[in-house]
Structure formats: structure tokens, C-alpha cells
Amino acid sequence: MKKIGVLALQGAFIEHIQILNKLGVQTREVRLPEDLSGLDGLILPGGESTTMRKLAKMYHLVSPIQQFAKKRAVWGTCAGMILLAKEVRGEDPCLGLMDIVVERNAFGRQLDSFEENLYIQALENGKKKPFPAIFIRAPKLLSTKNKAKIIARLPDQSAVAAVEGRMLATTFHPELSEDERLHEYFLNLAGK
Ligand code: GLN
């Protein structure tokens, strides 16, 4: 049985754990480097990336997560995506793992939070069913490089999800939607 860790320093980690449990997956809250041992994948939740970045450094998690990502699956949602990115506009990267360029709080105040139905081909088994995506002070996924591929876009074509090997990044909060397909997709990346 698969075991998935969720970085539990700050932010929406409980919601990820609830969905994973619903899918019958074992979970662990990750706060210290030793919590990573034996995991098949790690989720970096949404929240506040500046706070998470500070706490990750304080608890000496940065290099252990970088090592973990060489062999195991890692998924960053919203703030977690910012932690994953190799390039963050105007800031130093944190984990610097994924070949994506992101910009924090890029939708501005008027579009602080919104919901959008996304058609994500990678999630559809022949039938078209939109994924109800919730965006909260979301970052923008400006571009991908090398092996990173965009898998979801807004109707205006801006990228909102990407995959690179066993790494997944989403600018929105799939753990807040009543739709488990992205979590299932991640479990596939983590290996059966
Ligand atoms: N605005 C947050 C940040 O920059 C991300 C928001 C979120 O995770 N919902 O860290």
C-alpha cells in the first residue's frame, strides 16, 4: 500500500490528508526530515509560501526534500508550487526542483479568488468531465522548460498545471474540490 506524506508546516494540509484517506491511502504529516522515510510521495500544500519557506529552512527540510524528489513523487499545490519552482519572479527559489517559472499573487486583487471548470485531458477517460478548480490568491504558471509539460489551462489559455517526471504542480487547490481525480493522478505518478 502506498504511503503519501503531506508537508504540515502551515496551510491546507489536513484537506489533502482527508482526500488521500478517502482514497484508501496511508498518510503522514511531514514536519521533520525523518518523517520522509518510507514515503512514496510528498504533497506540498497551499498556504503562504513565504512562511512555509521559512519553516522548511528552520526545520532543515530543504535538502532532504530535494533528495527525496530524485526518486519519489512530489506535488506542489498553489504555495507548494511556488516552493517547487526553479524560477520565481522577483524572488529566490526555495526547493528549485521543477522547470517552471512562476509569479506569486499574479492575478491581483480583483481576481483574488475564483473558481473555473477545467478540461484536463490527462484526467479524462474518454468522457468529458470538467474539474472544478478553486484558485485562492493563486500564483501564475508563466512558462515551462525542458521536460516540464503543461496539462491544464484556463479558458484564456494561461497554464495552471504542469507535470515533469514524477513532479506535479497546480496553481489551484484540488484538495478543496469534491473531485479526487488529481489526487488519483498523483498516486499514479507515485507508482502503484
Ligand atoms: N499567495 C500565496 C503565496 O504566495 C499562495 C496562495 C495559496 O497557496 N492559496 O504564497
Side-chain angles (χ1 to χ4, degrees):
M1 198 206 217
K2 245 170 294 185
K3 197 170 206 170
I4 303 293
V6 184
L7 189 68
L9 301 174
Q10 190 265 342
F13 56 91
I14 289 166
E15 291 82 352
H16 275 293
I17 287 174
Q18 285 168 345
I19 294 203
L20 292 166
N21 289 340
K22 217 161 121 187
L23 291 171
V25 175
Q26 280 189 42
T27 53
R28 185 190 294 149
E29 294 182 7
V30 172
R31 294 192 177 84
L32 295 169
E34 50 264 41
D35 296 333
L36 292 167
S37 79
L39 296 178
D40 301 297
L42 175 69
I43 296 179
L44 312 170
E48 189 52 48
S49 60
T50 40
T51 309
M52 270 196 262
R53 170 202 286 261
K54 254 187 232 157
L55 292 171
K57 275 192 192 148
M58 202 188 277
Y59 293 109
H60 306 289
L61 277 162
V62 175
S63 150
I65 294 176
Q66 287 166 334
Q67 294 306 314
F68 180 88
K70 288 186 180 161
K71 295 208 176 114
R72 310 277 182 220
V74 182
W75 176 13
T77 59
C78 205
M81 177 186 82
I82 299 167
L83 301 182
L84 259 188
K86 278 194 183 165
E87 207 178 316
V88 184
R89 279 280 158 89
E91 288 181 21
D92 291 330
C94 177
L95 296 165
L97 284 167
M98 197 167 168
D99 254 324
I100 52 177
V101 182
V102 307
E103 185 181 359
R104 294 183 59 208
N105 302 326
F107 288 96
R109 251 200 223 148
Q110 275 156 335
L111 269 182
D112 227 343
S113 299
F114 60 101
E115 212 174 316
E116 187 67 59
N117 279 330
L118 304 176
Y119 288 91
I120 309 177
Q121 216 176 10
L123 302 184
E124 286 173 357
N125 265 340
K127 48 180 179 207
K128 266 191 158 228
K129 184 183 164 207
F131 189 94
I134 297 170
F135 295 80
I136 304 168
R137 281 171 50 77
K140 274 195 176 164
L141 176 47
L142 299 177
S143 59
T144 57
K145 293 180 186 167
N146 302 317
K147 290 186 181 145
K149 278 192 322 207
I150 292 162
I151 58 162
R153 293 179 188 273
L154 287 172
D156 74 0
Q157 294 308 305
S158 41
V160 290
V163 67
E164 177 185 346
R166 289 176 186 265
M167 285 184 286
L168 176 64
T170 50
T171 67
F172 50 97
H173 282 257
E175 78 286 5
L176 301 181
S177 299
E178 297 274 310
D179 192 322
E180 288 118 30
R181 285 177 297 162
L182 266 169
H183 285 79
E184 281 165 349
Y185 181 84
F186 178 65
L187 291 175
N188 276 328
L189 291 182
K192 289 271 181 208

